[in-house]
Each structure stands twice: as structure tokens, then as C-alpha cells.
Amino acid sequence: MALMSAKVPSLVRLVFYTLSSATFLFAAGTGAAGVPAIYVFGDSTADVGNNNYLTGKAARANFPHNGIDFPEQRPTGRFSNGYNGIDFLAIHLGFRRSPPPFLSIASKFNHRIARGTEGVNFASGGSGILDSTGSTVSLTNQIQNFATVRSNMTSHLFEAQTNLLLSRSLFLISTGGNDIFGFFSQNLAPNNTEKERFINTLVSTYEYHLQKLYGMGARRFGIVDVPPIGCCPFPRSLNPTEGCVDLLNELALQFNEATKIFMSDLSLKLKGMKYSIGSSYALVSNIIHNPSPLEMDATQSFALCRFQRD
């Protein structure tokens, strides 16, 4: 398994820092005061340690060289050499770093979380949009965990206060890649009908999840799309030419385009909903085709592609 470079910023950092600067400014308002909290959902691109608390053979990153650039050079459960993209986005919005992983505080009372002035990170490496993807904390269960947090908030605040705080908070979601890898692993040569059926199922399930969050008070959504996962090291190692796996990239593009459409439709249908989609696909594609300014090598691409094996 490849290791990440300790000296050069990982692609995860580049992706999320660029997205936070260019596409999530709508959420910042007048700075951190405009975003009382961040609630994070997704896979290992967003996990900051939830998987550390899972039993069995769950995907984990609580060992070196993960964390070698983190304060005190310690692994934290982030699938990264240091801060991950969620941390950089949170810092950009005025917070210290990502909110804490839900499973680290699930049995503890946190005054700031209960008061809605600090969010929670529910993301779990290896998870996906579909319940059948992975064996960690599914997106369905992540949203159920958010419902627990919301219930705790309403027990300390008026319902109207809770709704107001949540409507101003940022709901950040980075997921979908593991679902595509799972589909690909089961069908290396799907026909057009099978691909269309899979994308439709994935998108409709994603839309269902977002409507669940909206029903619990979410109004501001930051969506990170799926990068060109066919260019990750592992699928390339399976390709006789050692080049990118075109099918994976094709599926990622189809999913990303479908996501744009349903997000636009949702924003017209759901009152008060605002959203922004950060295109990690476009950003990483540009880095792949123009690598020299970043002195990118194979170990750096591992940072973004790692979730494929979670």
C-alpha cells in the first residue's frame, strides 16, 4: 500500500481548500458567525476518526504514516497525512478544525453541540450512499446519528431556536465514490442499461437522504462530487495498460452530472434550500493533466484515492 508524502500537500487538502475558497463562500456569510456549526457526512474523504470506534475489520487510519503532519505527529483516524479537507474547510470558515467525530462524543454531553454552536462529523470511511456499500457507518445511519444530535439540541433549546441554528449551519457531504467502486467490482463490463439503472438508483437514494436532512432543518448544503477515481493507483494497477480505468471515470461523470440536475430541482422544490457543488472531478483532472506546478507524484494521488479500498 502506497504511503503519502509528508512534504507536499495532499490532493485532499488541495481539493477541499480550493473548494472552500471558490464554491462554499455562500455559506460563510459574514465569516464564522454566519455559520454556527458544520455537520459532515460521507466517506473517508471526510472521516476524522469515527471508524476508530468501530469493532471488527472496519477500515481504519489510526496508524502511521497517517497523521505524520498532524500536530504531535499522531494518527487521528483521518485518512490523511495531517488535516484533511474537512479540516481546511472548517478553518477557512473560522473554526479550529473539523467538528469532532460523532462516535467520540456519542455518550458524552457537549454543551456547545447541544447549543448548536459546534457541529459534528458523522462521516465513516468505507461508507457510501447505498446501504449495501461497505460495512461501516452507512449514510442512512449517519443521518440517524444526526437525528440523535438534533433531538439533544431540542431538549436544550426551543424548537424554533434549533431550526434557526440548523438553517444557518453548513451540511457538507462527500460521498459516492465507494458506491461506484462497488458497482464496478461486481460488473467489470456493464451495458448501458445496467449503468443507467445503477446511476438512477444511486441518485434517487442520494436525493432521498438530502430530503431527510432538509426535513430535520438542513438548508445549506455543500456537495463535493466524485473525482476521476479511475485514475487512482489501485484501479490502474488492474488495467493491463496501467492507464486510467475509463469506465470508472465515465460512471463518476454520469453521477456528477445527475447530481447537478437533481440538486437544482430540489432547490426549486424545497423552500429555503441553498447549495453549492464543489467539483473535485474538474480540479483533480486539471492537476493530473498539469502536474508540474505541484510536483505531484504517485504518492500524492493516494491521498484522494485511498477511500476506494476502505
Side-chain angles (χ1 to χ4, degrees):
M1 182 176 287
L3 300 177
M4 287 179 290
S5 168
K7 300 183 181 297
V8 187
S10 71
L11 286 183
V12 169
R13 172 175 175 172
L14 291 169
V15 167
F16 278 87
Y17 190 81
T18 301
L19 296 180
S20 68
S21 300
T23 65
F24 293 139
L25 291 179
F26 80 93
T30 57
V35 182
I38 303 174
Y39 299 94
V40 183
F41 306 82
D43 52 32
S44 65
T45 59
D47 190 353
V48 294
N50 277 302
N51 281 15
N52 286 354
Y53 298 86
L54 301 180
T55 58
K57 297 181 180 180
R60 295 188 182 181
N62 58 342
F63 53 86
H65 294 277
N66 297 292
I68 57 175
D69 293 324
F70 200 82
E72 301 179 9
Q73 296 185 317
R74 60 186 179 88
T76 62
R78 289 165 170 81
F79 291 77
S80 174
N81 55 300
Y83 287 134
N84 69 11
I86 300 300
D87 293 304
F88 287 108
L89 175 58
I91 291 168
H92 181 79
L93 295 178
F95 298 94
R96 182 168 175 243
R97 61 179 67 151
S98 165
F102 171 78
L103 294 180
S104 73
I105 51 91
S107 61
K108 305 173 186 176
F109 176 78
N110 184 303
H111 179 80
R112 295 188 64 193
I113 292 174
R115 294 290 179 181
T117 58
E118 181 178 2
V120 183
N121 188 313
F122 304 95
S124 175
S127 68
I129 294 168
L130 304 176
D131 289 348
S132 58
T133 298
S135 58
T136 54
V137 186
S138 67
L139 190 53
T140 294
N141 288 334
Q142 291 177 38
I143 293 171
Q144 290 172 347
N145 290 339
F146 169 71
T148 299
V149 170
R150 188 188 186 284
S151 178
N152 195 27
M153 290 175 64
T154 57
S155 68
H156 293 83
L157 302 170
F158 291 115
E159 182 79 16
Q161 287 178 292
T162 298
N163 288 335
L164 177 61
L165 286 166
L166 292 177
S167 71
R168 293 170 54 204
S169 297
L170 174 61
F171 286 73
L172 179 64
I173 308 174
S174 178
T175 188
N178 286 328
D179 300 285
I180 295 174
F181 276 121
F183 173 74
F184 174 75
S185 67
Q186 297 297 317
N187 195 341
L188 299 179
N191 59 41
N192 289 336
T193 299
E194 291 168 328
K195 288 186 286 186
E196 182 178 357
R197 185 184 302 122
F198 166 69
I199 294 297
N200 288 341
T201 298
L202 194 58
V203 168
S204 63
T205 306
Y206 201 6
E207 182 175 357
Y208 171 79
H209 288 314
L210 294 185
Q211 291 196 63
K212 288 282 288 185
L213 288 172
Y214 177 90
M216 288 188 281
R219 293 296 182 269
R220 294 177 172 183
F221 294 90
I223 305 297
V224 180
D225 73 7
V226 176
I229 53 179
C231 296
C232 293
F234 181 66
R236 289 183 61 174
S237 72
L238 303 177
N239 190 345
T241 69
E242 298 185 353
C244 297
V245 177
D246 292 337
L247 175 58
L248 283 169
N249 288 346
E250 175 192 342
L251 291 169
L253 278 173
Q254 289 177 356
F255 171 70
N256 291 343
E257 289 302 311
T259 299
K260 291 179 184 177
I261 293 171
F262 91 74
M263 288 299 294
S264 177
D265 290 343
L266 272 185
S267 68
L268 295 175
K269 181 170 63 175
L270 302 179
K271 183 179 179 180
M273 176 184 166
K274 298 180 180 179
Y275 75 95
S276 184
I277 299 176
S279 181
S280 62
Y281 193 102
L283 179 61
V284 175
S285 293
N286 182 59
I287 292 172
I288 290 172
H289 292 104
N290 301 282
S292 56
L294 300 172
E295 299 178 0
M296 185 178 69
D297 59 27
T299 59
Q300 292 171 259
S301 64
F302 177 68
L304 186 62
C305 300
R306 179 170 191 165
F307 65 88
Q308 64 170 306
R309 302 194 68 181
D310 294 351

